[in-house]
Amino acid sequence: MARNIEWGCGAANRPTRVSWVSVACFAHTLQLAINDGFALYLNREISAAGKLVGHFNHSTVASKALQKKQEQMGLASHRLIQSCKTRWNSVCEMFDRLVEQRWAVAAVLSDRTVTKLQDARILELKDEYWQLMEETQHVLRALKCATTVISAEKDVSISNECKLHLVQSAEFVSSAPMLSAMLDPRHKHLGFLTPAQRVVANMKLVELGEAVETGQEAIEQAGGHVDDGSANTGAAAATQASAMALLLEEQYSTQLDTGIDTEVNNFLRDTPPPLDCNPTDWWKVNGRRFPRLAKLARQYLCIPAT
């Protein structure tokens, strides 16, 4: 289905009707990458660990013996977790639990009143398997955390995707996810990029901002408030300002620079909100201060990451 949609978007692009860019589902892409890694490096370990966990989950004798060993060794009374092919996170959970209960499991397997010698030889994991499970714990936990973030019920904008990317190509710096991250007040400083990459990303944002219309309509769309004072008051203020300008000459003019460069610089200098802040709520409050960027934010922050 996804390929059909992507092909349809490509067909729509060819007659120059629209200029849609295909953005892959990040969660699905991450899952495919992790499964490829499992197939290349961890298939044997996952299979062997699954057999070991299955033995304890299906044997009442082994399960009770494990509980006794946990009490004797002062370990937490936790059941072993079986992995599921459709949930790669379960591999991380299975490895974590096995590493936690390693010595209790080994004690049960070495007890001939509980486990037969023939079964123990089949179920016991090699030292290299245990070592590999310990070494991959940090990586799998980080990937599990990334999956949790991207699968949340709220605030799943594509702006959250950039900090989770493990590989950042030159094209990625000016891509939709990166621009969305720049427009997200939480991630705008792009601390995960090199200084040179940040310069390129900022230039791309300025380039897009130059094409955005400004004025009263843009300010209203950005959530700003337009003063509804009387015409006489406005005329008096204009006359007073003109007289002041004539009196103090142009070098004392108080007219603000509203160029896109200034707007981007002011936005980047602004204190970022906490990570649990909803970026759309932030723009509702601050849209009037950055009207061009607010319009871009509405276009990019609405793109879902998954």
Side-chain angles (χ1 to χ4, degrees), residues 30-43:
L30 181 63
Q31 180 184 6
L32 293 177
I34 293 171
N35 287 338
D36 288 345
F38 285 166
L40 288 174
Y41 304 106
L42 291 176
N43 253 0

PDB file of all heavy atoms in Angstrom, residues 30-43:
ATOM      1  N   LEU A  30      12.774   2.362  11.011  1.00  0.00           N
ATOM      2  CA  LEU A  30      13.591   1.940  12.146  1.00  0.00           C
ATOM      3  C   LEU A  30      13.431   0.448  12.405  1.00  0.00           C
ATOM      4  O   LEU A  30      14.410  -0.263  12.664  1.00  0.00           O
ATOM      5  CB  LEU A  30      13.197   2.740  13.385  1.00  0.00           C
ATOM      6  CG  LEU A  30      13.966   2.436  14.674  1.00  0.00           C
ATOM      7  CD1 LEU A  30      15.442   2.766  14.499  1.00  0.00           C
ATOM      8  CD2 LEU A  30      13.388   3.223  15.839  1.00  0.00           C
ATOM      9  N   GLN A  31      12.203  -0.034  12.310  1.00  0.00           N
ATOM     10  CA  GLN A  31      11.960  -1.461  12.533  1.00  0.00           C
ATOM     11  C   GLN A  31      12.677  -2.313  11.490  1.00  0.00           C
ATOM     12  O   GLN A  31      13.283  -3.339  11.826  1.00  0.00           O
ATOM     13  CB  GLN A  31      10.460  -1.747  12.497  1.00  0.00           C
ATOM     14  CG  GLN A  31      10.124  -3.218  12.729  1.00  0.00           C
ATOM     15  CD  GLN A  31       8.644  -3.503  12.589  1.00  0.00           C
ATOM     16  OE1 GLN A  31       7.875  -2.629  12.206  1.00  0.00           O
ATOM     17  NE2 GLN A  31       8.242  -4.723  12.891  1.00  0.00           N
ATOM     18  N   LEU A  32      12.628  -1.906  10.234  1.00  0.00           N
ATOM     19  CA  LEU A  32      13.311  -2.660   9.181  1.00  0.00           C
ATOM     20  C   LEU A  32      14.822  -2.677   9.410  1.00  0.00           C
ATOM     21  O   LEU A  32      15.477  -3.714   9.227  1.00  0.00           O
ATOM     22  CB  LEU A  32      12.995  -2.052   7.813  1.00  0.00           C
ATOM     23  CG  LEU A  32      11.541  -2.161   7.329  1.00  0.00           C
ATOM     24  CD1 LEU A  32      11.376  -1.443   5.992  1.00  0.00           C
ATOM     25  CD2 LEU A  32      11.120  -3.618   7.205  1.00  0.00           C
ATOM     26  N   ALA A  33      15.372  -1.542   9.813  1.00  0.00           N
ATOM     27  CA  ALA A  33      16.814  -1.473  10.057  1.00  0.00           C
ATOM     28  C   ALA A  33      17.216  -2.370  11.225  1.00  0.00           C
ATOM     29  O   ALA A  33      18.232  -3.077  11.170  1.00  0.00           O
ATOM     30  CB  ALA A  33      17.224  -0.026  10.333  1.00  0.00           C
ATOM     31  N   ILE A  34      16.417  -2.365  12.282  1.00  0.00           N
ATOM     32  CA  ILE A  34      16.729  -3.197  13.446  1.00  0.00           C
ATOM     33  C   ILE A  34      16.612  -4.676  13.100  1.00  0.00           C
ATOM     34  O   ILE A  34      17.460  -5.492  13.495  1.00  0.00           O
ATOM     35  CB  ILE A  34      15.797  -2.832  14.616  1.00  0.00           C
ATOM     36  CG1 ILE A  34      16.109  -1.417  15.105  1.00  0.00           C
ATOM     37  CG2 ILE A  34      15.943  -3.827  15.759  1.00  0.00           C
ATOM     38  CD1 ILE A  34      15.124  -0.887  16.108  1.00  0.00           C
ATOM     39  N   ASN A  35      15.576  -5.035  12.352  1.00  0.00           N
ATOM     40  CA  ASN A  35      15.416  -6.438  11.957  1.00  0.00           C
ATOM     41  C   ASN A  35      16.574  -6.903  11.082  1.00  0.00           C
ATOM     42  O   ASN A  35      17.024  -8.055  11.191  1.00  0.00           O
ATOM     43  CB  ASN A  35      14.090  -6.624  11.223  1.00  0.00           C
ATOM     44  CG  ASN A  35      12.894  -6.551  12.161  1.00  0.00           C
ATOM     45  OD1 ASN A  35      13.029  -6.762  13.362  1.00  0.00           O
ATOM     46  ND2 ASN A  35      11.734  -6.245  11.620  1.00  0.00           N
ATOM     47  N   ASP A  36      17.060  -6.020  10.211  1.00  0.00           N
ATOM     48  CA  ASP A  36      18.233  -6.370   9.401  1.00  0.00           C
ATOM     49  C   ASP A  36      19.452  -6.592  10.289  1.00  0.00           C
ATOM     50  O   ASP A  36      20.254  -7.513  10.055  1.00  0.00           O
ATOM     51  CB  ASP A  36      18.525  -5.264   8.385  1.00  0.00           C
ATOM     52  CG  ASP A  36      17.507  -5.227   7.258  1.00  0.00           C
ATOM     53  OD1 ASP A  36      16.758  -6.216   7.108  1.00  0.00           O
ATOM     54  OD2 ASP A  36      17.446  -4.212   6.539  1.00  0.00           O
ATOM     55  N   GLY A  37      19.595  -5.756  11.311  1.00  0.00           N
ATOM     56  CA  GLY A  37      20.709  -5.935  12.238  1.00  0.00           C
ATOM     57  C   GLY A  37      20.606  -7.236  13.011  1.00  0.00           C
ATOM     58  O   GLY A  37      21.610  -7.934  13.223  1.00  0.00           O
ATOM     59  N   PHE A  38      19.388  -7.577  13.424  1.00  0.00           N
ATOM     60  CA  PHE A  38      19.192  -8.851  14.115  1.00  0.00           C
ATOM     61  C   PHE A  38      19.574 -10.020  13.207  1.00  0.00           C
ATOM     62  O   PHE A  38      20.228 -10.978  13.639  1.00  0.00           O
ATOM     63  CB  PHE A  38      17.733  -9.000  14.540  1.00  0.00           C
ATOM     64  CG  PHE A  38      17.355  -8.151  15.725  1.00  0.00           C
ATOM     65  CD1 PHE A  38      16.022  -7.939  16.051  1.00  0.00           C
ATOM     66  CD2 PHE A  38      18.323  -7.563  16.517  1.00  0.00           C
ATOM     67  CE1 PHE A  38      15.669  -7.168  17.142  1.00  0.00           C
ATOM     68  CE2 PHE A  38      17.987  -6.781  17.610  1.00  0.00           C
ATOM     69  CZ  PHE A  38      16.655  -6.583  17.921  1.00  0.00           C
ATOM     70  N   ALA A  39      19.144  -9.943  11.945  1.00  0.00           N
ATOM     71  CA  ALA A  39      19.414 -11.042  11.015  1.00  0.00           C
ATOM     72  C   ALA A  39      20.911 -11.212  10.766  1.00  0.00           C
ATOM     73  O   ALA A  39      21.398 -12.331  10.580  1.00  0.00           O
ATOM     74  CB  ALA A  39      18.686 -10.793   9.694  1.00  0.00           C
ATOM     75  N   LEU A  40      21.653 -10.114  10.787  1.00  0.00           N
ATOM     76  CA  LEU A  40      23.085 -10.189  10.495  1.00  0.00           C
ATOM     77  C   LEU A  40      23.916 -10.606  11.704  1.00  0.00           C
ATOM     78  O   LEU A  40      24.904 -11.335  11.564  1.00  0.00           O
ATOM     79  CB  LEU A  40      23.577  -8.829   9.986  1.00  0.00           C
ATOM     80  CG  LEU A  40      23.143  -8.423   8.575  1.00  0.00           C
ATOM     81  CD1 LEU A  40      23.578  -6.997   8.275  1.00  0.00           C
ATOM     82  CD2 LEU A  40      23.729  -9.375   7.540  1.00  0.00           C
ATOM     83  N   TYR A  41      23.526 -10.146  12.899  1.00  0.00           N
ATOM     84  CA  TYR A  41      24.425 -10.291  14.039  1.00  0.00           C
ATOM     85  C   TYR A  41      23.844 -11.032  15.245  1.00  0.00           C
ATOM     86  O   TYR A  41      24.610 -11.526  16.073  1.00  0.00           O
ATOM     87  CB  TYR A  41      24.891  -8.902  14.510  1.00  0.00           C
ATOM     88  CG  TYR A  41      25.541  -8.084  13.429  1.00  0.00           C
ATOM     89  CD1 TYR A  41      24.886  -7.007  12.848  1.00  0.00           C
ATOM     90  CD2 TYR A  41      26.822  -8.397  12.973  1.00  0.00           C
ATOM     91  CE1 TYR A  41      25.483  -6.250  11.850  1.00  0.00           C
ATOM     92  CE2 TYR A  41      27.428  -7.646  11.975  1.00  0.00           C
ATOM     93  CZ  TYR A  41      26.753  -6.577  11.417  1.00  0.00           C
ATOM     94  OH  TYR A  41      27.349  -5.840  10.427  1.00  0.00           O
ATOM     95  N   LEU A  42      22.535 -11.088  15.395  1.00  0.00           N
ATOM     96  CA  LEU A  42      21.977 -11.594  16.651  1.00  0.00           C
ATOM     97  C   LEU A  42      21.007 -12.757  16.484  1.00  0.00           C
ATOM     98  O   LEU A  42      20.354 -13.134  17.460  1.00  0.00           O
ATOM     99  CB  LEU A  42      21.260 -10.452  17.391  1.00  0.00           C
ATOM    100  CG  LEU A  42      22.134  -9.344  17.960  1.00  0.00           C
ATOM    101  CD1 LEU A  42      21.268  -8.247  18.561  1.00  0.00           C
ATOM    102  CD2 LEU A  42      23.079  -9.893  19.022  1.00  0.00           C
ATOM    103  N   ASN A  43      20.892 -13.306  15.311  1.00  0.00           N
ATOM    104  CA  ASN A  43      19.909 -14.374  15.101  1.00  0.00           C
ATOM    105  C   ASN A  43      20.157 -15.576  16.008  1.00  0.00           C
ATOM    106  O   ASN A  43      19.232 -16.121  16.618  1.00  0.00           O
ATOM    107  CB  ASN A  43      19.911 -14.816  13.635  1.00  0.00           C
ATOM    108  CG  ASN A  43      18.669 -14.328  12.907  1.00  0.00           C
ATOM    109  OD1 ASN A  43      17.815 -13.671  13.500  1.00  0.00           O
ATOM    110  ND2 ASN A  43      18.563 -14.647  11.633  1.00  0.00           N
TER     111      ASN A  43
END
